[in-house]
Amino acid sequence: MNRHLWIAGILWVVFTALALAGAALMNPFPTVGAEEAEFSDHAFRLMTYMGAPVFGFVMAALLYSVLRFRSGGPGEDGPPIRGVGAVPRVWLLTTTTLAVVVMIYPGLTGLAELRSDRTHDLEVDVTGFRWAWVVQYPEGFASQELVLPVDQRVKFNVTAPAGDVLHSFWVPAFRLKIDAVPGQITNLYITPNELGDGATDAAYRVQCAELCGLYHARMQMPVRVVTAEEYQAWVAEKAGK
Amino acid sequence: MAILVGLVLAVVGFVAGTGILGGIRTSMGLEYWSTDMSWSVGYPVALIGWLIGVGGWKYWAVEWFGGKAATPPKGVKRYFEWNMDHKVIGIQYGVTFVVLFLLSGLTAMLIRFELMNSGMQLFTEDQYNSAMSFHGIGMVAVAVAIMLGAFGNYIVPLQIGARDMAFPRVNALSYWLVPPVAIMLIIALLIGGWDTGWTAYPPLSVLTKSGQVLFNLAVITFGLVSILGGINFIATIIYERAPGMTWGRLPIFVWGAFAGSLIAFFFTQGFAAGLLMILLDRVVGTSFFHAAEGGSPILYEHVFWFYSHPAVYVMVLPAFGAVLEVLAHMSRKPLYAYRWVVGALLGIVAISGVVWAHHMFTSGMEDYLHAPFLVLTEMISIPTGIIFLSAIGTIWAGRLWMRTPMLFALAFIFNFTVGGLTGIYLADVPTDIHLHDTYFVVAHFHYTIMGGEIFALFAALYYWFPKMTGRQFNETLGKIHFWIMFIGFQLVFIPMFQVGVKGMNRRVADYPEAYEDFNRFISWSGFLLGISFIFFAANMVLSWVRGERAVANPWGASTLEWQVSSPPPEHNFEGQPVIQGGAYEYGVPNAPAHARMGTAAATENV
């Protein structure tokens, strides 16, 4: 019995190492275009690392059992281990600790950080309606392209007309989304920190992420993050019209 | 025949209902027909006609008027009309929902065909939305009802030593409400479909096409099925246990069914109420969800998820029970940490009611709600962890008999691990705000519901097939089904996690070209997954018709259902069985047999 535990234990270490290596090497993310994106990806990676030993444990136990403990029929019974006493208690303690850790970090701490900074350099109004987006800039013009200056913190006031339906404002490169609720204003704060252009990168698009009927899939708007000078020039051109 | 009568009476009822409404409308100077209103009035009348026609009158309601209920026929005929035997109802549920499963699976194939390339292939956007919505509600219905409906009905009374369910008439009623649900959803597709998925979020569901009304009527009916079934299981398990069947000796599948039924009973009315409010907004002109008139779309999300998150545990708790059942019997070991599992099942029932708003982290609800729902959602991983402990502890050092049901039960452990771990990313607000509504979510819930519950369903189906049909299934076909399904499943849903993180959102008829390679791979894998069910269907049909006769206890299992013939006699047991020990006493020295089977003569003395 002890030999089984040892081998399975080694398998656990091996699987965990493999899972950790996989997690370290992987880059499943779209373009990182904002501070919030770095933050979200960091939390994602962290949870992957935390999950690796759990995944490794189940896989080791499962695979070892399947390979080593076979029989050809119901002739012989296994040992009557009932699972009372220390093992379930240790298990409960371990899983509870893990759950509490994930709750606190990156969970609650991340949530607090996400909500902490309510300052902004620029404020724009975004309206979603079936099936398009429009952005209202403080200079008084509207645009069907979201153009933002790099390294400026932007506050989005998101809404939908009272007679319309739910939509959701989402830019994959920024990793944040918030629903556009008819008759209500919701907010999102984003600090883009990389230049990017929706013409070449699908992650730079405003995509409606709440099923809104017929052309839901097509409810997109290109996003461009530009330098401060380019932004000024663009605003001047748009406002001049 | 009874079904034909039912259909005719349903049409008569519909015509009568809409006719009276039309008369009233005409007299008020309105148009005779209003699709929303006519269906809302015609359908309930049609439903009553249907229930009368399929046998609700002949076998039950006639008694209310002093008549004498007819005696149900024997043989194959009884499966096609009102019948109160839990074994007949179990098979009715099983076959109906397997057909619905295959039908909804076929829509998934069409969806994958459409998504194979960027741009529109097979469907228009409108047709895509309808197909996606039908796939969604079809599969949700299957997932909610098939474990309890088919195996709960057939197996629970046998396992607890009862002659039938506590309320056989209610049981028959709840089954015969199911075909109207399926028929209404199909009619909804035929009159133009609906485009709100299975979630029916307003204001869209209030503003969209009339197919939505049929969806709402169907799903409210389905809610009734679920509640009636829930009450019946709760009462049966509390009151119909054989002498000696203490709570501590109940087979774990019965505990799973009990826990699932508690949730169905407590929470289903939330969904029904939400859908009724949408119906009222559409038909009567109330304004629960019209923002312009002071209504709140977010209100619906709360009401809806208040049911629909617990609903996933209606799906998965009986599945936990079935998997642990199969693992224990086919590992020839006592179920590991039995009492902890019971505690975990009830713990999940308790926590399931207070996690719903994790579906709403991006909905615009109050910010202060995020933290408590994050914490509570993470908490549910603790009882779920105990289920894993039990599964692993049970197979460890066992005598694993690798037959088809065992393969599915073991695959459940793998799939549910992936599903559970990926759930953490969605409970955690900082990552969920990106992942919400992407294919990451689609992959996650397919891992838990399909990889979890549906794999458990096949474990249960193959495990109990000999008992329910009296025939042995074909092992080779079963194993082919398993391996193609298992591999196909991984190849479909692993890449979905990736494409979701990359930025592809769900429920879209089309997507940017950047995601095309992923989608092509997923589609081909999807077709592979689809092929596995051809082997399944062939196996079921061939084995049922001309498979080898099954012996009473092909698995050598200890629980009660295996101590009677396959299929069991009409009233389950010749005499009253008496329970004298635990259900999983494998390898325990000098343990008494789980049950002492009574004889007809000995029953007097019990």
Side-chain angles (χ1 to χ4, degrees), chain B residues 467 551-552 561-569 572:
Chain B
K467 182 56 60 186
V551 296
E561 80 272 29
W562 299 108
Q563 315 312 321
V564 292
S565 60
S566 302
N572 296 351

Side-chain angles (χ1 to χ4, degrees), chain B residues 372-550:
Chain B
F373 279 101
L374 182 157
V375 168
L376 288 162
T377 303
E378 301 275 18
M379 257 173 69
I380 218 157
S381 65
I382 299 167
T384 311
I386 291 181
I387 307 291
F388 278 99
L389 170 74
S390 175
I392 291 168
T394 302
I395 59 174
W396 183 258
R399 303 287 180 271
L400 276 59
W401 190 14
M402 305 299 270
R403 296 286 300 268
T404 308
M406 186 62 164
L407 293 175
F408 277 101
L410 292 166
F412 169 95
I413 303 178
F414 176 85
N415 293 336
F416 211 80
T417 308
V418 178
L421 288 174
T422 51
I424 300 172
Y425 301 80
L426 299 172
D428 189 82
V429 180
T431 37
D432 179 64
I433 290 182
H434 175 54
L435 299 172
H436 178 80
D437 213 81
T438 65
Y439 262 79
F440 189 93
V441 178
V442 176
H444 161 73
F445 73 70
H446 278 89
Y447 259 97
T448 51
I449 302 304
M450 184 174 184
E453 192 210 341
I454 299 299
F455 273 75
L457 163 74
F458 284 116
L461 207 156
Y462 283 107
Y463 181 67
W464 281 309
F465 185 85
K467 182 56 60 186
M468 294 171 74
T469 63
R471 305 273 182 166
Q472 192 53 264
F473 60 86
N474 181 310
E475 182 69 21
T476 312
L477 283 177
K479 284 195 167 129
I480 294 173
H481 167 210
F482 170 77
W483 282 110
I484 301 181
M485 182 173 163
F486 181 73
I487 294 168
F489 177 79
Q490 313 301 334
L491 294 179
V492 172
F493 293 104
I494 294 266
M496 275 194 193
F497 286 117
Q498 165 74 82
V499 76
V501 177
K502 282 279 181 205
M504 179 168 166
N505 55 320
R506 61 191 281 216
R507 295 167 150 182
V508 283
D510 196 12
Y511 51 82
E513 257 173 59
Y515 311 125
E516 200 168 38
D517 291 344
F518 285 113
N519 276 287
R520 204 166 289 150
F521 183 85
I522 293 169
S523 286
W524 282 112
S525 309
F527 302 143
L528 179 69
L529 179 57
I531 286 170
S532 73
F533 298 109
I534 297 173
F535 291 94
F536 163 70
N539 195 357
M540 289 300 105
V541 173
L542 291 177
S543 303
W544 203 338
V545 176
R546 25 172 247 199
E548 221 179 289
R549 293 266 170 210

Side-chain angles (χ1 to χ4, degrees), chain A residues 1 4-5 8 27-30 39-40 43-44 47-48 51 54-55 57-59 61-62 64-66 69-74 76-83 87-89 91-92 95-96 99 102-103 106-108 110-111 114-115 118 130 162-166 168 170 172 175-179 181-184 186 202-203 205 207-218 220, chain B residues 120 125-126 129 132 195-197 201-204 207 291-292 297-298 301 331-338 340 362-364 367 370-371 374-375 378-379 381-382 385-386 388-389 392 395-402 410 413-414 417-418 421 424-425 428-431 433-438 440 498 501-510 512 514-515 555-556 585-589:
Chain A
M1 179 56 69
H4 290 314
L5 285 175
N27 183 15
F29 308 108
F39 180 70
S40 165
F44 190 100
M47 281 185 277
T48 312
V54 179
F55 184 72
F57 182 88
V58 179
M59 288 313 109
L62 188 60
Y64 189 77
S65 301
V66 167
F69 304 129
R70 283 163 174 270
S71 82
E76 185 199 0
D77 288 351
I81 313 167
R82 288 195 182 276
V87 179
R89 290 188 194 139
W91 179 275
L92 183 69
T95 50
T96 307
V102 180
M103 257 174 226
L108 292 175
L111 190 60
L114 213 58
R115 304 261 175 272
R118 292 302 198 204
R130 281 172 293 172
D164 210 89
V165 305
L166 292 171
S168 193
W170 176 44
R175 313 282 194 279
L176 291 180
K177 68 170 69 73
I178 191 80
D179 283 7
V181 183
Q184 188 176 325
T186 51
R205 71 184 199 279
Q207 168 73 54
C208 176
E210 185 60 73
L211 184 59
C212 61
L214 185 57
Y215 292 118
H216 168 55
R218 314 227 173 276
Q220 300 168 348
Chain B
M120 300 310 287
E125 282 88 347
D126 194 35
N129 289 343
M132 177 274 293
D195 52 7
T196 56
Y201 275 16
L204 181 61
L207 301 172
I298 296 181
E301 294 181 44
S331 305
R332 308 294 301 174
K333 276 185 64 201
L335 182 71
Y336 193 80
Y338 173 92
W340 289 80
T362 67
S363 70
D367 273 354
H370 289 195
L374 182 157
V375 168
E378 301 275 18
M379 257 173 69
S381 65
I382 299 167
I386 291 181
F388 278 99
L389 170 74
I392 291 168
I395 59 174
W396 183 258
R399 303 287 180 271
L400 276 59
W401 190 14
M402 305 299 270
L410 292 166
I413 303 178
F414 176 85
T417 308
V418 178
L421 288 174
I424 300 172
Y425 301 80
D428 189 82
V429 180
T431 37
I433 290 182
H434 175 54
L435 299 172
H436 178 80
D437 213 81
T438 65
F440 189 93
Q498 165 74 82
V501 177
K502 282 279 181 205
M504 179 168 166
N505 55 320
R506 61 191 281 216
R507 295 167 150 182
V508 283
D510 196 12
Y515 311 125
W555 313 119
E585 300 295 286
Y586 295 107
V588 180

Side-chain angles (χ1 to χ4, degrees), chain B residues 299-383:
Chain B
L299 166 67
Y300 176 84
E301 294 181 44
H302 282 294
V303 176
F304 174 78
W305 288 113
F306 181 72
Y307 160 72
S308 294
H309 193 78
V312 308
Y313 297 102
V314 178
M315 304 172 189
V316 100
L317 293 187
F320 284 161
V323 163
L324 294 178
E325 191 81 30
V326 171
L327 289 177
H329 295 305
M330 303 202 93
S331 305
R332 308 294 301 174
K333 276 185 64 201
L335 182 71
Y336 193 80
Y338 173 92
R339 278 159 194 266
W340 289 80
V341 174
V342 172
L345 291 171
L346 297 176
I348 293 174
V349 172
I351 305 176
S352 75
V354 287
V355 298
W356 76 89
H358 66 231
H359 294 271
M360 300 168 58
F361 287 146
T362 67
S363 70
M365 68 175 179
E366 296 296 342
D367 273 354
Y368 61 75
L369 286 175
H370 289 195
F373 279 101
L374 182 157
V375 168
L376 288 162
T377 303
E378 301 275 18
M379 257 173 69
I380 218 157
S381 65
I382 299 167

Side-chain angles (χ1 to χ4, degrees), chain B residues 39-62:
Chain B
W39 275 99
S40 301
V41 174
Y43 171 72
V45 188
L47 191 63
I48 292 167
W50 161 261
L51 290 173
I52 289 172
V54 293
W57 171 262
K58 195 163 65 157
Y59 296 115
W60 184 11
V62 66

Side-chain angles (χ1 to χ4, degrees), chain B residues 182-246:
Chain B
I183 293 169
M184 283 293 273
L185 291 174
I186 291 167
I187 298 177
L189 280 185
L190 296 179
I191 66 164
W194 74 101
D195 52 7
T196 56
W198 79 278
T199 52
Y201 275 16
L204 181 61
S205 53
V206 176
L207 301 172
T208 189
K209 301 172 287 191
S210 289
Q212 184 70 47
V213 170
L214 278 73
F215 169 93
N216 283 29
L217 293 168
V219 177
I220 290 171
T221 312
F222 185 66
L224 192 58
V225 172
S226 205
I227 295 172
L228 291 176
I231 294 171
N232 212 347
F233 282 112
I234 294 168
T236 304
I237 295 168
I238 293 179
Y239 293 111
E240 303 289 320
R241 283 168 293 137
M245 180 60 91
T246 58

